[in-house]
Amino acid sequence: MTNDSLRDRTAIVVGGSSGIGYAIAKAALEQGARVWIVGRNPAKLERAKAELSGKVETASVDMGDRNTVREFFDRYEAASVDHLAITAATAVQGAFADVEIDEIETMFASKFFGPYRVVQAALPKLRQ
């Protein structure tokens, strides 16, 4: 049984090719949304698209790069974005004593500045 609660709505899921983002994209599709999954890895995007029967649009975007983020939203053809989910981030693992501060700074930037960039670029098309 399908739920049409998102029919005629558009959802963009940044980090939608795996994990929680993929689950969000799949659930939005099941509820009738037009879904875009966005991520850095073209191969993972294509695999996710195939798993979702080709029913999603994909875009390779690195949210750490303000130019690719802005270019995506500039060329994005829909008049508005109804739902925006951001699950993408760089993760660092290792013993506290072994992880370099540069790696932690990169992780922090991906969890704060990346989403900030995405929302700022999406604002002109993001529906209230």
Side-chain angles (χ1 to χ4, degrees), residues 90-113:
T90 299
V92 176
Q93 297 178 354
F96 182 84
D98 298 333
V99 177
E100 296 293 326
I101 192 74
D102 293 348
E103 294 175 279
I104 299 301
E105 288 173 343
T106 298
M107 181 179 72
F108 178 80
S110 79
K111 291 181 182 265
F112 180 78
F113 294 112

Side-chain angles (χ1 to χ4, degrees), residues 4-122:
D4 288 348
S5 62
L6 296 179
R7 180 156 313 287
D8 299 324
R9 303 292 180 147
T10 299
I12 296 177
V13 184
V14 181
S17 62
S18 63
I20 293 169
Y22 178 86
I24 292 169
K26 183 177 178 185
L29 272 175
E30 290 169 353
Q31 294 177 33
R34 176 174 181 233
V35 177
W36 279 81
I37 56 174
V38 177
R40 288 184 298 191
N41 187 319
K44 284 177 69 176
L45 290 167
E46 286 306 309
R47 185 171 47 250
K49 184 174 185 171
E51 290 172 4
L52 296 170
S53 304
K55 294 180 181 178
V56 297
E57 300 292 332
T58 62
S60 181
V61 176
D62 180 354
M63 70 178 185
D65 177 352
R66 74 173 44 96
N67 292 327
T68 63
V69 171
R70 196 161 302 284
E71 287 169 5
F72 169 72
F73 285 100
D74 285 348
R75 72 176 186 267
Y76 172 72
E77 74 271 0
S80 66
V81 176
D82 299 291
H83 302 280
L84 177 63
I86 305 168
T87 63
T90 299
V92 176
Q93 297 178 354
F96 182 84
D98 298 333
V99 177
E100 296 293 326
I101 192 74
D102 293 348
E103 294 175 279
I104 299 301
E105 288 173 343
T106 298
M107 181 179 72
F108 178 80
S110 79
K111 291 181 182 265
F112 180 78
F113 294 112
Y116 190 92
R117 258 184 219 105
V118 170
V119 172
Q120 196 171 50

